[in-house]
Amino acid sequence: MIKVTDLHKSFGDLEVLKGINAEVQEKEVVCVIGPSGSGKSTFLRCINRLEDITSGEVVIDGESLTDPKLNINKLRSQVGMVFQHFNLFPHKTVRENITLGPIKVKDMNQEEANKLATQLLEKVGLSDKADVYPASLSGGQKQRVAIARALAMSPKVMLFDEPTSALDPELVGDVLEVMKDLAKEGMTMIVVTHEMGFAREMGDRVIFMDEGKIMEEGTPSEIFDNPQNPRTQTFLSKVL
Amino acid sequence: MFDGLIDLINSPHWGNTLPFIRRGLALTLYITFVGVFFGFIIGALAGFARLSKNKIIYGVATVYIELIRGTPILVQALFLYFAISQSFGINFQAVTAGIIAIAVNAGAYIAEIVRGGVESIDKGQKEAGRSIGLSSSQTMRYIIWPQAFKRMIPPLGNQFIISLKDTSIFAIISVGEVTFLLRQYVSSTAVTFEPYVMLSLAYLVITIPAMLILRAIERRLDV
Ligand SMILES: Nc1ncnc2c1ncn2[C@@H]1O[C@H](COP(=O)(O)OP(=O)(O)OP(=O)(O)O)[C@@H](O)[C@H]1O
Ligand SMILES: [Mg+2]
């Protein structure tokens, strides 16, 4: 589904990704963990080309991101992204946040889009919030709307960049529940997270990144119970 | 002293200046509205040019903005009305010259308001727009611009008030706006006090309500 080959990314002189190789199968949930500044966000942002790729290749469902003929807008519409700080559109209601993409990008009509929004809001448990503005929502509710907004595009894969780390602890659970439901439905997901519990429970595979490289990867029990790389061991001893 | 005050209050010049105030203020407002309208178009173009990655577009806009902001509007008006019309044989009507001067001048300041407004919107908004598949121009139109424009309203209102006051310098190129007409009144009657009090009031009648409205909008917008 996604194949990353020798991905390098530099900001000026600073090389942030130093040759990433990874593969994600359809319906797989891959969790990415690692210390701050290790390049997790940058890796994710390269996958929907919010960052330009310096060298290497990313192929999603047979389409290469570095192909100059690629329709980048179409590709992005098929790759859902959920941000740490939600990034909801504050001037639009919850419903409008969700329907904007389908209407403008997929030429869906208003009525159909509204129906879709209603379905998705039900799915994330916010049916009663369709007509409010994001400012009146809690962080957990905002993040669930952001997930619904991404799902409205029927993406082939969902990318999550620390979706719960800006939330008050008591609000984390609701968001994780929604993500678990998604995983169970067979959504392909790459999740950068500090929630080791989620990674262990829901991850098919866990990738540990440090200093712009994948240091170790394996099943949750391989990584959490029996880490081989000393850096993984150090990192886990700090966070667990 | 007391007699003098009574005389002043009963002076016929208060009433006599009124027709000039009315006529002059109409032209002042006309020049301001039309000038700021075109200034907004110029400013939006120049503002977006300043956000452009294209060095030439960016450079042209920057030169324009800095030239205008670095020179007094009086000099700009003189330049436009005398230097350009003489050297190139383009004959502006004085009023047209005034409108162009306001548009070009306000345009430079509005460009910076537009640039600042757009830049003030969190980068995450653009990323969220792009990540649902909106093109760069759709993201600007549906996501960035509506939010940026809201923030631009207070400074745009301020610029309107500044431009309104700036029109007074067109008295120097004989535009029949309110300052010009009242100066004429002064020179034909040799009375100074009443006409200039009336002239000041004429501006305040517009600017004070404008400022109050602006403040009310600011409070409503909560920006
Ligand atoms: N736009 C940018 N320009 C310059 N440097 C950047 C940019 N974005 C990220 N970096 C740098 O790249 C490195 C990796 O950043 P990244 O955000 O990918 O790390 P991360 O693993 O997501 O960290 P965190 O857990 O704190 O979110 C950091 O040193 C960061 O300063
Ligand atoms: Mg990050």
Side-chain angles (χ1 to χ4, degrees):
Chain A
M1 172 92 205
I2 299 181
K3 191 168 176 2
V4 179
T5 316
D6 198 27
L7 171 64
H8 288 258
K9 170 68 191 175
S10 302
F11 294 106
D13 290 337
L14 179 70
E15 189 173 41
V16 174
L17 297 181
K18 303 168 183 165
I20 302 274
N21 292 288
E23 232 176 300
V24 179
Q25 307 303 327
E26 204 173 333
K27 303 193 173 190
E28 201 180 11
V29 176
V30 173
C31 293
V32 182
I33 60 172
S36 183
S38 56
K40 306 181 297 294
S41 297
T42 307
F43 172 51
L44 218 54
R45 293 158 59 84
C46 283
I47 295 177
N48 72 349
R49 257 198 47 197
L50 278 180
E51 302 290 353
D52 281 323
I53 292 163
T54 307
S55 73
E57 205 183 25
V58 177
V59 178
I60 299 178
D61 214 16
E63 290 192 88
S64 169
L65 290 202
T66 42
D67 181 349
K69 291 195 295 280
L70 173 82
N71 180 342
I72 186 66
N73 299 326
K74 178 149 175 281
L75 181 120
R76 285 208 187 96
S77 74
Q78 297 166 350
V79 179
M81 178 100 174
V82 174
F83 301 88
Q84 182 175 0
H85 294 108
F86 332 125
N87 300 351
L88 292 180
F89 309 133
H91 60 304
K92 295 192 173 292
T93 63
V94 164
R95 191 199 312 279
E96 289 165 347
N97 264 273
I98 297 171
T99 56
L100 182 70
I103 291 172
K104 299 300 175 194
V105 179
K106 298 174 89 176
D107 289 323
M108 197 180 275
N109 66 43
Q110 184 75 53
E111 199 185 338
E112 235 180 306
N114 284 344
K115 235 188 267 167
L116 176 65
T118 306
Q119 277 169 20
L120 288 168
L121 283 173
E122 199 168 324
K123 186 177 179 128
V124 300
L126 293 172
S127 296
D128 53 333
K129 299 292 184 185
D131 295 307
V132 306
Y133 285 88
S136 66
L137 299 177
S138 74
Q141 293 172 330
K142 281 182 189 158
Q143 196 59 300
R144 285 183 279 156
V145 172
I147 292 172
R149 177 177 69 183
L151 290 175
M153 300 306 291
S154 320
K156 293 174 180 164
V157 51
M158 288 278 284
L159 311 176
F160 294 83
D161 192 359
E162 301 192 24
T164 57
S165 50
L167 301 179
D168 291 336
E170 72 271 20
L171 301 176
V172 168
D174 292 342
V175 173
L176 291 182
E177 275 314 307
V178 169
M179 292 170 63
K180 284 178 194 171
D181 287 346
L182 270 184
K184 285 178 196 147
E185 284 168 22
M187 175 62 77
T188 309
M189 295 163 61
I190 305 180
V191 185
V192 172
T193 187
H194 290 308
E195 294 291 331
M196 298 303 156
F198 177 85
R200 185 190 278 273
E201 186 186 349
M202 295 312 297
D204 295 307
R205 206 142 44 87
V206 175
I207 289 178
F208 173 70
M209 275 182 74
D210 196 10
E211 296 182 346
K213 290 194 196 115
I214 293 180
M215 292 291 179
E216 188 167 358
E217 64 174 293
T219 62
S221 65
E222 281 168 353
I223 298 291
F224 291 117
D225 302 332
N226 193 16
Q228 301 299 309
N229 190 304
R231 285 182 190 262
T232 319
Q233 291 163 1
T234 318
F235 173 75
L236 288 174
S237 69
K238 278 187 210 147
V239 297
L240 285 181
Chain B
M1 165 69 206
F2 199 62
D3 283 351
L5 195 57
I6 302 257
D7 280 352
L8 187 59
I9 289 169
N10 290 329
S11 162
H13 294 292
W14 301 116
N16 290 349
T17 54
L18 268 181
F20 298 99
I21 297 275
R22 222 173 282 137
R23 194 147 53 87
L25 208 48
L27 188 59
T28 294
L29 285 169
Y30 172 72
I31 295 172
T32 309
F33 272 108
V34 179
V36 172
F37 174 78
F38 285 108
F40 182 75
I41 294 172
I42 296 172
L45 290 174
F48 279 109
R50 285 272 279 181
L51 294 162
S52 167
K53 288 194 193 88
N54 182 313
K55 291 228 160 58
I56 296 170
I57 293 175
Y58 173 87
V60 170
T62 305
V63 168
Y64 156 63
I65 290 165
E66 297 309 337
L67 280 184
I68 297 300
R69 297 202 309 167
T71 53
I73 187 169
L74 175 57
V75 175
Q76 292 159 18
L78 292 174
F79 187 81
L80 193 72
Y81 191 56
F82 294 111
I84 295 209
S85 63
Q86 277 190 7
S87 313
F88 300 97
I90 307 166
N91 249 323
F92 294 124
Q93 293 257 305
V95 172
T96 313
I99 289 171
I100 296 174
I102 288 292
V104 169
N105 179 274
Y109 292 93
I110 291 172
E112 288 299 271
I113 294 172
V114 169
R115 184 186 61 81
V118 169
E119 278 182 346
S120 76
I121 303 303
D122 177 46
K123 229 173 73 227
Q125 290 292 307
K126 179 179 156 198
E127 294 182 348
R130 299 309 301 273
S131 75
I132 55 173
L134 296 175
S135 68
S136 151
S137 59
Q138 283 177 318
T139 303
M140 179 53 72
R141 179 166 162 206
Y142 301 116
I143 312 288
I144 312 289
W145 181 255
Q147 297 181 59
F149 186 73
K150 214 168 111 177
R151 294 189 189 176
M152 284 159 48
I153 291 171
L156 283 174
N158 273 331
Q159 182 57 45
F160 176 84
I161 292 169
I162 292 169
S163 289
L164 179 93
K165 293 186 289 178
D166 280 347
T167 57
S168 65
I169 61 106
F170 300 144
I172 211 107
I173 55 174
S174 305
V175 176
E177 45 69 57
V178 69
T179 301
F180 179 77
L181 293 189
L182 273 279
R183 272 167 54 101
Q184 274 192 330
Y185 186 94
V186 167
S187 49
S188 63
T189 57
V191 180
T192 54
F193 188 79
E194 297 92 322
Y196 283 136
V197 168
M198 289 298 279
L199 178 58
S200 307
L201 288 175
Y203 284 105
L204 290 170
V205 158
I206 308 293
T207 55
I208 287 180
M211 283 189 261
L212 290 176
I213 291 169
L214 210 60
R215 225 160 284 155
I217 293 175
E218 262 172 68
R219 239 176 289 126
R220 280 267 310 271
L221 291 177
D222 194 20
V223 280

